[in-house]
Amino acid sequence: MKHYESIIIGHITLDHNVDHLGNAVDVVGGAVNFSSASAYALGHKVAAVTRLNEKDFDRLNEFVIPKEDIYCIASPSSSNMYNRYFTPDKERRECRCTSVGTPFTIDDIPSDIEGDIIHFAGLVYGDYTTEMMIEASKKAPIAVDVQTCLRHVKDDGSMYFEDWADKKKVLPYVRFLKTDAAEAEILTGLTDRKEAAKLLHEWGAQEILITHNTEVLAYDGGEFYTCPIRARNLSGRTGRGDTTFAAYYTERLTSDIKTSLLYATATVSAKMEAPGVYKGTRKDIEAYIDEFYKDCK
């Protein structure tokens, strides 16, 4: 049995990104790609479970984790995304899913691997079923990015957000839950991030991470922790939440919340300064912390 600190399940996508000035770039993305890269950069052993049409297998070359830790299932369809950003801070954007990837099943997790965490790094509603998430929690604690529970795709590829019907059914099984500020409001109806985190904890999630363009907030039911984002530019904004989440929960396997949040926020700040996944090392992040986060140690 091969052991991983995290088994990350999600679609690796081709993202067509257009910034507020009209500059366009194609990058291989997807939460599974950004998440596995950040955890791996910090020295954690992670597996990536993904689905692709065979014609898109070249995307697998974009993973930074070792090839033997990539588990790809040949599928009828791959996932493709279009992102257009309207503001320099990239907080306002139009997203379209130009191709929906084939959904995952519990049998996609190889029987000969195990993980300390199983991470659902989905893109749209339908990537996983409620039953799959609950079943996976019997194998290992689960981490869920709620994007995959809220973001729906219309027939024309346009996307809209809708509250998660099964949230109170699934949240009691969730060890780590990640939202951004807007998603937290959709789930709870609350604009105050701390109040939203409290309610999500009351509904059953053990530990909540809420990302924002200014900071990242963590809550475990007892105390709130925050750490500022200090990226010097936002050219690599795509993948912010994915990078943060995997860095955070893999650090939490051995560190306290404050330290884990510091490493995760420093990692995403460094990542956002360049397009694509983070390709540095733990030493690079520690140097970044020494330069920009001395006051947060």
Side-chain angles (χ1 to χ4, degrees):
M1 183 73 73
K2 196 170 185 178
H3 183 83
Y4 294 97
E5 288 167 83
S6 175
I7 299 171
I8 306 174
I9 309 169
H11 290 292
I12 183 168
T13 70
L14 183 66
D15 295 340
H16 183 72
N17 298 327
V18 182
D19 70 14
H20 71 291
L21 298 175
N23 301 309
V25 61
D26 288 331
V27 296
V28 174
V32 66
N33 194 21
F34 291 110
S35 296
S36 60
S38 64
Y40 180 73
L42 290 172
H44 301 288
K45 187 170 179 59
V46 297
V49 176
T50 194
R51 279 183 168 274
L52 281 171
N53 185 279
E54 291 183 8
K55 67 179 175 56
D56 298 319
F57 275 7
D58 59 333
R59 296 183 194 178
L60 300 175
N61 296 325
E62 297 299 314
F63 279 110
V64 298
I65 63 175
K67 283 184 169 48
E68 62 266 25
D69 298 326
I70 302 168
Y71 301 87
C72 182
I73 301 100
S75 302
S77 62
S78 301
S79 177
N80 297 327
M81 306 292 287
Y82 169 89
N83 300 299
R84 182 171 183 176
Y85 298 97
F86 297 108
T87 56
D89 64 7
K90 299 190 176 183
E91 287 302 303
R92 288 185 58 244
R93 61 177 173 169
E94 172 198 358
C95 298
R96 283 192 286 111
C97 184
T98 55
S99 176
V100 178
T102 304
F104 293 90
T105 72
I106 194 69
D107 293 332
D108 291 336
I109 302 174
S111 60
D112 59 348
I113 68 172
E114 61 182 6
D116 295 319
I117 299 286
I118 295 175
H119 174 189
F120 289 94
L123 297 171
V124 298
Y125 185 80
D127 280 351
Y128 327 98
T129 63
T130 291
E131 291 71 26
M132 179 184 176
M133 287 189 277
I134 293 174
E135 186 65 25
S137 73
K138 299 174 185 177
K139 297 175 178 288
I142 63 172
V144 177
D145 185 331
V146 299
Q147 172 180 261
T148 193
C149 307
L150 304 181
R151 194 161 71 170
H152 296 247
V153 182
K154 296 181 180 180
D155 291 341
D156 64 358
S158 62
M159 293 188 286
Y160 65 96
F161 285 83
E162 183 178 287
D163 194 10
W164 183 14
D166 284 344
K167 61 189 176 186
K168 292 184 181 179
K169 182 177 181 180
V170 178
L171 287 177
Y173 297 93
V174 177
R175 175 66 182 87
F176 296 101
L177 182 75
K178 179 262 166 187
T179 84
D180 65 20
E183 292 163 347
E185 183 178 353
I186 291 169
L187 282 168
T188 66
L190 301 171
T191 56
D192 185 294
R193 295 193 293 279
K194 288 185 177 180
E195 291 302 314
K198 286 171 64 175
L199 185 55
L200 291 167
H201 187 271
E202 287 176 14
W203 287 342
Q206 293 181 44
E207 201 159 308
I208 295 94
L209 200 72
I210 300 180
T211 59
H212 186 261
N213 64 318
T214 62
E215 67 179 15
V216 183
L217 177 149
Y219 180 64
D220 66 345
E223 187 173 345
F224 292 100
Y225 303 82
T226 60
C227 192
I229 289 178
R230 290 178 174 166
R232 290 166 290 183
N233 72 77
L234 298 174
S235 60
R237 162 64 178 84
T238 301
R240 180 183 73 186
D242 311 316
T243 298
T244 308
F245 193 31
Y248 176 77
Y249 72 70
T250 49
E251 286 293 294
R252 280 289 286 125
L253 293 172
T254 55
S255 297
D256 60 21
I257 293 176
K258 181 181 178 181
T259 303
S260 301
L261 187 60
L262 172 60
Y263 271 79
T265 311
T267 301
V268 75
S269 293
K271 173 263 176 295
M272 288 203 297
E273 295 178 359
V277 303
Y278 184 67
K279 295 182 179 179
T281 66
R282 191 177 188 90
K283 286 186 177 180
D284 293 328
I285 293 304
E286 289 172 345
Y288 197 93
I289 290 171
D290 288 340
E291 184 173 359
F292 299 108
Y293 283 93
K294 285 183 179 178
D295 60 316
C296 297
K297 288 185 175 181

